[in-house]
Structure formats: structure tokens, C-alpha cells
Amino acid sequence: MTYQPTFPASLQTAASALLRQLPAPDPTRPLQGFRVTVQGETLSAPNRIYLAAGSLYSILEESEGEIRTLALCFGTRHCDGYVREECLRQLLAAGSNRDWVVPFIVQLLGEYVIEIIELIADAIPNMNPAHLASFSAANPEFMALTRRRVTSYWDCYHRDRYGRLELYPGSVALNAIEHLVLTQTEPSIVSDAP
């Protein structure tokens, strides 16, 4: 299925501006990637974008604010793993506190580039725990699919390096996110004692 852009209302202006800057896609590309819920609204991303790296970097240099952040998010969907890694590094370095960035980062855990997965696993402790927990709780099917992909890539490519699945950085990151869901949603104990 061809990618159908869908963004939360708060992101519509930036998304429209970014999509105008991107060259018209090949009609056979990009394919629909993921559709998730962010703060009760739908956000979709392409499976991959096929754009010259120089064109994407030019857009990044000329953009700022939400448009630049969204361009970095789209860069995490780029067909070149080095471009995906560079865009991720910039997203993580910026310390983005936007809830709609989370799905672009979590999606990368279910892919095969170990350097990207290690970056995310290292970054999880510095990310906004409320955003991670909220996203995970609102998207259980997406999280389950990501976990299956993590398991599959570990089994196919990384089992020799990480002898146990729980040691694999993708699993470490997903387990940390699941822990956040539990700790963010646990009811607090209120005592009536003086």
C-alpha cells in the first residue's frame, strides 16, 4: 500500500511544509510503514524514503523547529542505514521532548542495523519516560510486532554476539520501555494515617 501521510493536528503545519519540500515520490514508493496512535491521534510513516542523502541534508540545513525534527524523523526511514543512523544521532542529541518522535525511534529497534539499536538502548534512560510509557500503552500491537522483529533479528544475525535474547540491545530497550509503562501507570499508595 502506498504511504498515506497522517499526522496529529499539532503537527499538521510542519508536516505540510515538510511534504512540500520533499520531491515527488516514485509512484511505486514509498510503501506504508507504520500507523500508530500518539496522544489519541493517528501518525503514519513511510516504510522507507528513497531520496538522495544530499537532498535530505539540504532540507535539514534549511529547516528549523518542528519541520527539522520531522525531517529527522523521516530520515530515520531513509533507505540508507548510514543516513538513518545520522538522523537518529541528531534526534537523540537534540533531546527532543516531542511525543510524536517516539514511534520513529521505537520502530528502529525492530530493524537489523545493530549500531542503531545500540544507540537507542543507550539513549532510553535519557528519553522522556512519560512519552515512552504513553506511546507504548497506546500501541500494544505495534510494540508486540516490534518485539517479534527484535527476536527475529537477534536470532538471525546477532545470536552469536549476544548469547541470550535478554542481553540483545533491542530487548534491553524494549524491556526498559515496558518497565516504564508499569511504573508510570502503577497507582500510588495513599495513606490516611496522620
Side-chain angles (χ1 to χ4, degrees), residues 8-55:
S10 64
L11 194 52
Q12 286 296 332
T13 301
S16 295
L18 176 61
L19 292 173
R20 281 193 303 272
Q21 292 180 44
L22 295 174
D26 176 330
T28 63
R29 303 177 191 171
L31 298 178
Q32 184 71 43
F34 61 82
R35 293 179 75 82
V36 294
T37 301
V38 176
Q39 298 297 322
E41 297 183 86
T42 302
L43 181 145
S44 67
N47 184 45
R48 289 282 184 248
I49 60 168
Y50 299 87
L51 170 69
S55 297

Side-chain angles (χ1 to χ4, degrees), residues 64-152:
E64 57 186 30
E66 287 193 332
I67 296 171
R68 185 174 191 286
T69 302
L70 186 56
L72 286 169
C73 288
F74 266 60
T76 69
R77 309 308 316 132
H78 197 273
C79 59
D80 182 326
Y82 292 108
V83 174
R84 290 195 303 276
E85 183 177 354
E86 178 57 30
C87 289
L88 174 65
R89 282 184 188 283
Q90 290 184 44
L91 271 176
L92 296 174
S96 178
N97 199 24
R98 295 170 174 101
D99 53 5
W100 48 265
V101 172
V102 171
F104 291 94
I105 294 172
V106 173
Q107 169 69 25
L108 291 167
L109 290 172
E111 296 184 8
Y112 58 89
V113 181
I114 190 64
E115 294 82 3
I116 290 174
I117 296 165
E118 289 170 338
L119 279 174
I120 297 168
D122 290 344
I124 292 288
N126 300 318
M127 293 177 67
N128 184 310
H131 289 176
L132 289 166
S134 173
F135 173 76
S136 180
N139 296 280
E141 297 88 12
F142 177 83
M143 296 303 290
L145 176 61
T146 302
R147 183 164 295 279
R148 288 191 300 272
R149 288 176 173 163
V150 162
T151 301
S152 180

